């Protein structure tokens, strides 16, 4: 157990740091976070109501300050793993973890492109009852993966969805939130341009893509997920270069390879497309 922090010490420490998330550390003490994102976060919480967290294993991607990871723990998850590939962000997470006396496991050296490889130690080890392969991996896969505010920042977004599927149990759930195009029935994804060059969408070098809603649906289907329609929520944010941009949040169920016709969809079952799918057949 770490040292006891007084309320004033917590407030003083908060004031020394920059914050992305708003995290309640004690009654009346909340990290300052980005107020403009509160509507997006609340939309995501509405979609989240279609997921059962109690006694579930949860993976939180791009955890940053850790808000979504801590909330998953507070909703009753039995294990929460917080990942990021920006190690300096760990300092805020560690501070909040200590104040909250949280048991969330931080892995701030894990890329969203390498979940299958990076989380092997968690997938293969069972400290309670060792099981044979592949039952052990299936037993240790996650029930819920949270992929929030991340997709449009990734150069290779579809590959990260495949990586998510590789570590989710069949029947488990993906909670997804991303920027998107709301006003087209086409399946398109607009490229923002190489960093420092075009910026077709946002003047932000960390933004790579703006996918349409149909494109998101089809990418999920191509990585063995199916959207739960009633979970879908959207918020418009205005015109950007003639596109009606906005945000979308949704829950998608991980489909077992046994649920699709291998004669028609064999490409989806190739392990170099969707790593980790082979255990469905063993």
């Amino acid at each position: 157990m770490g040292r006891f922090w007084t309320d004033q010490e917590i407030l003083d420490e908060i004031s020394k740091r920059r914050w992305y998330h708003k995290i309640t550390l004690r009654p009346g003490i909340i990290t300052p976070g980005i107020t403009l994102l509160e509507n997006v976060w609340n939309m995501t919480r509405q979609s989240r109501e279609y997921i059962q967290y109690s006694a579930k294993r949860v993976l939180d991607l791009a955890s940053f300050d850790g808000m979504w990871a801590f909330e998953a723990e507070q909703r009753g998850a039995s294990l929460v793993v917080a990942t990021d590939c920006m190690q300096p962000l760990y300092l805020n997470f560690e501070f909040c973890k200590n104040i909250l006396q949280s048991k969330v496991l931080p892995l701030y050296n894990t890329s969203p492109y390498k979940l299958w490889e990076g989380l092997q130690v968690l997938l293969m080890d069972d400290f309670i009852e060792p099981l044979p392969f592949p039952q052990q991996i299936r037993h240790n896969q996650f029930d819920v993966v949270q992929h929030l505010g991340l997709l449009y920042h990734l150069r290779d977004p579809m590959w990260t969805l495949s990586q998510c599927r590789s570590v989710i149990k069949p029947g488990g759930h993906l909670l997804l939130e991303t920027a998107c195009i709301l006003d087209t029935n086409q399946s398109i994804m607009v490229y923002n341009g190489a960093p420092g060059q075009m910026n077709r969408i946002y003047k932000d070098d960390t933004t790579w893509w703006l996918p349409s809603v149909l494109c998101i649906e089809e990418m999920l289907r191509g990585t063995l997920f199916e959207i739960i329609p009633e979970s879908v929520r959207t918020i418009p944010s205005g015109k950007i270069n003639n596109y009606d941009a906005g945000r979308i949040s949704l829950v998608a169920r991980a489909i077992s390879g046994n649920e699709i016709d291998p004669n028609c969809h064999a490409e989806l079952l190739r392990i170099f497309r969707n790593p980790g799918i082979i255990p469905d057949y063993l």
Side-chain angles (χ1 to χ4, degrees):
M1 181 178 293
R3 74 176 180 87
F4 177 78
W5 292 69
T6 67
D7 287 357
Q8 189 57 53
E9 286 175 326
I10 295 173
L11 291 169
D12 291 343
E13 189 64 30
I14 287 174
S15 68
K16 298 175 186 177
R17 302 166 181 257
R18 295 179 63 184
W19 295 91
Y20 181 80
H21 286 139
K22 293 194 173 188
I23 302 171
T24 300
L25 299 178
R26 283 186 185 165
I29 300 180
I30 303 172
T31 60
I34 299 178
T35 299
L36 287 175
L37 290 175
E38 284 190 291
N39 286 341
V40 174
W41 297 338
N42 288 333
M43 173 186 69
T44 301
R45 292 183 179 108
Q46 292 176 24
S47 294
R48 186 178 62 183
E49 292 302 313
Y50 290 87
I51 298 175
Q52 169 61 251
Y53 279 81
S54 180
K56 301 299 185 182
R57 295 166 63 90
V58 178
L59 175 64
D60 184 55
L61 306 184
S63 292
F64 220 95
D65 300 332
M67 179 179 75
W68 296 111
F70 297 131
E71 289 190 13
E73 182 181 52
Q74 291 158 6
R75 292 174 73 85
S78 59
L79 170 71
V80 181
V81 177
T83 69
D84 214 305
C85 57
M86 299 282 287
Q87 295 184 26
L89 301 175
Y90 175 67
L91 296 177
N92 280 9
F93 174 91
E94 181 185 41
F95 171 69
C96 294
K97 175 179 165 68
N98 288 338
I99 300 302
L100 294 169
Q101 298 185 11
S102 168
K103 295 181 180 179
V104 172
L105 174 64
L107 293 176
Y108 273 60
N109 59 351
T110 303
S111 166
Y113 297 129
K114 294 185 176 180
L115 298 178
W116 178 245
E117 299 92 338
L119 299 174
Q120 282 289 309
V121 65
L122 292 174
L123 298 176
M124 289 299 295
D125 288 338
D126 191 315
F127 301 106
I128 300 173
E129 182 182 356
L131 298 169
F133 177 88
Q135 291 93 329
Q136 193 166 55
I137 286 180
R138 179 65 66 233
H139 177 71
N140 289 333
Q141 282 180 312
F142 293 93
D143 300 286
V144 179
V145 173
Q146 301 183 146
H147 191 300
L148 305 174
L150 175 61
L151 190 74
Y152 62 103
H153 289 302
L154 297 172
R155 193 175 72 169
D156 303 302
M158 193 165 180
W159 180 242
T160 70
L161 296 177
S162 289
Q163 286 288 310
C164 287
R165 178 61 188 83
S166 76
V167 298
I168 298 181
K169 296 175 183 177
H173 294 94
L174 176 73
L175 178 62
L176 178 70
E177 187 278 312
T178 184
C180 67
I181 300 171
L182 295 172
D183 66 335
T184 180
N185 57 6
Q186 294 181 310
S187 182
I188 60 173
M189 188 156 55
V190 178
Y191 179 50
N192 197 36
Q197 296 180 22
M198 297 178 185
N199 294 129
R200 289 189 184 93
I201 309 161
Y202 299 115
K203 296 186 183 303
D204 170 17
D205 283 349
T206 72
T207 293
W208 287 84
W209 300 99
L210 193 67
S212 67
V213 173
L214 181 57
C215 180
I216 293 168
E217 178 184 343
E218 291 181 344
M219 284 196 295
L220 287 168
R221 194 178 308 149
T223 49
L224 296 173
F225 288 102
E226 63 177 8
I227 293 175
I228 298 174
E230 55 267 30
S231 72
V232 178
R233 301 287 187 276
T234 59
I235 293 177
S237 59
K239 283 279 187 182
I240 300 179
N241 286 351
N242 296 319
Y243 296 105
D244 279 335
R247 305 289 287 238
I248 186 171
S249 64
L250 58 88
V251 175
R253 185 179 74 89
I255 302 170
S256 166
N258 294 316
E259 294 181 51
I260 67 174
D261 184 349
N263 296 316
C264 298
H265 304 99
E267 184 70 8
L268 300 185
L269 303 179
R270 301 187 195 281
I271 195 166
F272 60 83
R273 298 293 186 208
N274 285 312
I277 196 60
I278 281 182
D280 281 344
Y281 290 92
L282 298 178

